[in-house]
């Protein structure tokens, strides 16, 4: 038996083994393609954003924040930490403030979402927006949309009698600087305009002591 014969035999054996494995490899490749296809399936999502109906086709993994910014082009809502720690992405959903980076759009089918664009316009500011301007409650402005949305919801929480960790009497929730500081603690201002933010909220609440 020559070296040439051994080489041909090896090639034949290798070819037979490859032929035997081909159906397995093809099946695995098909499974991977199916998995990728299933993972990219879009879902219909309907939202009421700032009083307008939005009908979207989204990847089910899309956050509410990315939906607002990338699909509806409402860029007032900011992406800060993207981990729910800074509050820059705060919006109001069904009357409650939430971090839009921590929730998926598909979880809010039919919900009413209010962003900073829905609170007021440059020609007709929301009272909280006007108070932030009056009391200089912002510096760089990046966190301001989230701060304002949160502040609006905070006053509604206090009026509804919803207690916080700073509430002394659970039967009587009253406005105080301590209440506001506690409730706004999830909204970080890296420029440290906190005293002016408190003053703006106090002004809108009718508790301005200035």
């Amino acid at each position: 038996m020559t070296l040439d014969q051994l080489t041909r035999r090896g090639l034949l054996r290798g070819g037979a083994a490859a032929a035997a494995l081909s159906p397995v490899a093809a099946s695995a490749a098909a499974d991977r393609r199916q998995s990728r296809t299933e993972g990219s399936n879009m879902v219909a999502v309907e939202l009421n954003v700032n009083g307008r109906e939005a009908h979207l086709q989204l990847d089910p993994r899309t956050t509410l924040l990315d939906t607002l910014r990338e699909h509806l082009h409402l860029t007032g809502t900011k992406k800060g930490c993207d981990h729910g720690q800074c509050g820059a992405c705060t919006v109001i959903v069904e009357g409650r403030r939430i971090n839009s980076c921590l929730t998926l759009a598909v979880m809010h089918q039919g919900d009413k979402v209010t962003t900073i664009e829905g609170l007021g316009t440059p020609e007709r500011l929301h009272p909280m927006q006007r108070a932030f301007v009056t009391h200089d409650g912002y510096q760089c402005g990046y966190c301001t949309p989230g701060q304002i949305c949160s502040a609006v919801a905070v006053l509604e929480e206090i009026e509804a009698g919803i207690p916080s960790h700073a509430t002394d009497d659970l039967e009587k929730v009253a406005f105080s600087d301590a209440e506001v500081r506690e409730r706004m603690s999830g909204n970080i201002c890296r420029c440290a305009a906190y005293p002016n933010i408190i003053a703006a909220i106090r002004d809108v609440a009718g508790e301005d002591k200035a």
Side-chain angles (χ1 to χ4, degrees), residues 2 10 21 30-31 44 48 62-63 70 79 88 93 105 120 123 139 171 188 192 210:
T2 65
L21 289 174
D31 289 343
N48 184 311
T62 306
T63 65
E70 307 300 333
K79 178 177 285 194
V93 177
E123 296 76 23
Q139 289 187 32
E171 299 297 326
I188 297 174

Side-chain angles (χ1 to χ4, degrees), residues 26-113:
S27 176
D31 289 343
R32 288 195 296 271
R33 285 194 297 271
Q34 182 179 3
S35 177
R36 285 196 297 268
T37 302
E38 291 175 351
S40 63
N41 283 345
M42 308 295 272
V43 296
V45 178
E46 296 183 7
L47 301 169
N48 184 311
V49 182
N50 299 330
R52 295 184 178 182
E53 296 294 330
H55 303 273
L56 304 162
Q57 291 290 327
L58 299 173
D59 185 307
R61 298 166 294 183
T62 306
T63 65
L64 180 58
L65 172 59
D66 286 339
T67 299
L68 295 171
R69 288 182 57 83
E70 307 300 333
H71 296 271
L72 297 178
H73 308 294
L74 296 172
T75 55
T77 305
K78 303 304 183 187
K79 178 177 285 194
C81 65
D82 214 22
H83 286 78
Q85 297 176 346
C86 71
C89 68
T90 303
V91 297
I92 303 171
V93 177
E94 293 292 321
R96 296 179 60 188
R97 55 194 174 120
I98 66 170
N99 291 326
S100 58
C101 73
L102 293 183
T103 186
L104 300 177
V106 295
M107 298 168 63
H108 298 283
Q109 286 280 8
D111 283 356
K112 294 181 179 179
V113 181

